[in-house]
Amino acid sequence: MGLTHGMRGDPWEHEVTHGNMRGDPWEHAEAAEGEYVELIDKWREGMGLDRFILLGHSFGAFLACSYAMKYPSRVRHLVLVDPWGFSIKPAIEGADRGLPLLISTFATHFNPLTPIRAVGPFGPSLMARIRPDLTNIFGEPFINYVYHCNAQEPSGETAFFHMQIPIGWAKRPMLERIGTQLDPLVPITMVYGLRSWMDSSAGQKVNDLRPFSYVSLYHVRRAGHHVHADQPEEFNAILKEVYSVVDSEQDRTSVDQSTLP
């Protein structure tokens, strides 16, 4: 199984985020997404994997889905945990209403973790204040780890900035693509935390868009965005079920290509 997690400041190929970010910003989003996809495939090649179960969480789920679109034959089963970037931003005025002007302006012009880097050594303390939930779940060492990951050159974060519409909507949402661009033979399991801020209705929409494909939905009670940390036993039980389904090939869908739109 390969795991792709949410946004952090990992270094990657800078020519996309720094050198060639000119012209249409929608092109930037596609280029950044494509760069991530190729990095995942380089990892797969380096691990010597032919086909594998690909699990993504949050932004990582968005990237995992994009990878499966380009390389469907290499994905045995796609697991999307509380995925970001699937829902389409409402085309109505005031979709981000209620947000303070300062926050809205900042999100439009700066990378989201800029303040963490700006305060230098006080970054871990600021992170702990902003996200006490992460401290409670993972502990102080995790906060220090996340800080030092993101205190470096924000290449991955810059890519994410170009892939989103403030605040938090994908420029290229998956619901606009998954019904036509993802091979119907790729099986999907989607896992949502019922207390998460993510739009869990996207899961049912994915199911509706793929009527000839295997799609399994889970909604975990008493779990937020970090389903794996909030309810680890139930999360592990879901993964064991995925393994069982894969081993028994119950997720193999016999698709009559003539019935596809």
Side-chain angles (χ1 to χ4, degrees):
M1 172 180 284
L3 308 176
T4 58
H5 56 73
M7 182 189 68
R8 58 176 279 194
D10 280 335
W12 58 299
E13 296 295 334
H14 284 221
E15 71 267 15
V16 174
T17 57
H18 296 162
N20 295 326
M21 282 298 181
R22 304 184 180 91
D24 185 353
W26 290 84
E27 294 179 357
H28 302 166
E30 185 173 359
E33 182 181 325
E35 185 75 10
Y36 271 118
V37 165
E38 294 311 313
L39 286 175
I40 294 172
D41 200 54
K42 288 180 181 179
W43 171 86
R44 176 203 62 82
E45 185 177 358
M47 295 297 293
L49 300 175
D50 181 27
R51 302 184 71 213
F52 64 111
I53 299 172
L54 180 57
L55 183 153
H57 170 250
S58 192
F59 178 49
F62 177 90
L63 298 175
C65 192
S66 181
Y67 178 87
M69 287 179 178
K70 184 168 184 181
Y71 298 113
S73 64
R74 298 172 187 174
V75 178
R76 177 60 186 82
H77 195 108
L78 184 62
V79 183
L80 307 174
V81 182
D82 225 51
W84 171 87
F86 275 62
S87 297
I88 301 168
K89 184 174 183 178
I92 56 174
E93 184 177 354
D96 294 322
R97 62 185 179 278
L99 291 171
L101 178 61
L102 179 61
I103 294 178
S104 180
T105 302
F106 178 87
T108 304
H109 295 91
F110 297 96
N111 287 336
L113 296 179
T114 296
I116 300 298
R117 287 182 290 275
V119 298
F122 299 103
S125 298
L126 178 60
M127 287 193 66
R129 288 178 177 272
I130 295 174
R131 296 296 305 273
D133 56 319
L134 295 182
T135 306
N136 294 335
I137 294 172
F138 299 109
E140 184 177 343
F142 176 79
I143 293 295
N144 291 331
Y145 166 75
V146 172
Y147 166 73
H148 286 290
C149 286
N150 290 287
Q152 303 176 51
E153 184 73 19
S155 51
E157 187 183 336
T158 300
F160 177 80
F161 178 83
H162 286 287
M163 293 167 69
Q164 59 96 31
I165 303 171
I167 296 175
W169 301 90
K171 286 183 177 179
R172 306 177 70 235
M174 283 298 168
L175 286 181
E176 291 184 344
R177 301 185 275 161
I178 198 168
T180 57
Q181 297 183 30
L182 180 60
D183 191 316
L185 295 179
V186 175
I188 301 176
T189 292
M190 303 185 74
V191 184
Y192 285 95
L194 284 178
R195 293 180 179 175
S196 175
W197 60 81
M198 293 296 179
D199 178 15
S200 61
S201 68
Q204 184 58 51
K205 292 174 183 176
V206 169
N207 185 65
D208 295 341
L209 288 168
R210 294 174 60 81
F212 305 101
S213 306
Y214 178 96
V215 179
S216 181
L217 303 177
Y218 291 89
H219 296 86
V220 181
R221 296 180 182 275
R222 299 181 299 281
H225 183 52
H226 298 279
V227 185
H228 50 285
D230 292 336
Q231 297 296 331
E233 292 185 3
E234 186 167 351
F235 181 75
N236 288 337
I238 292 171
L239 291 189
K240 289 180 180 178
E241 179 64 23
V242 171
Y243 297 148
S244 177
V245 166
V246 170
D247 288 342
S248 62
E249 299 196 346
Q250 296 178 40
D251 59 344
R252 294 283 195 177
T253 304
S254 298
V255 179
D256 180 355
Q257 298 292 332
S258 66
T259 65
L260 296 178

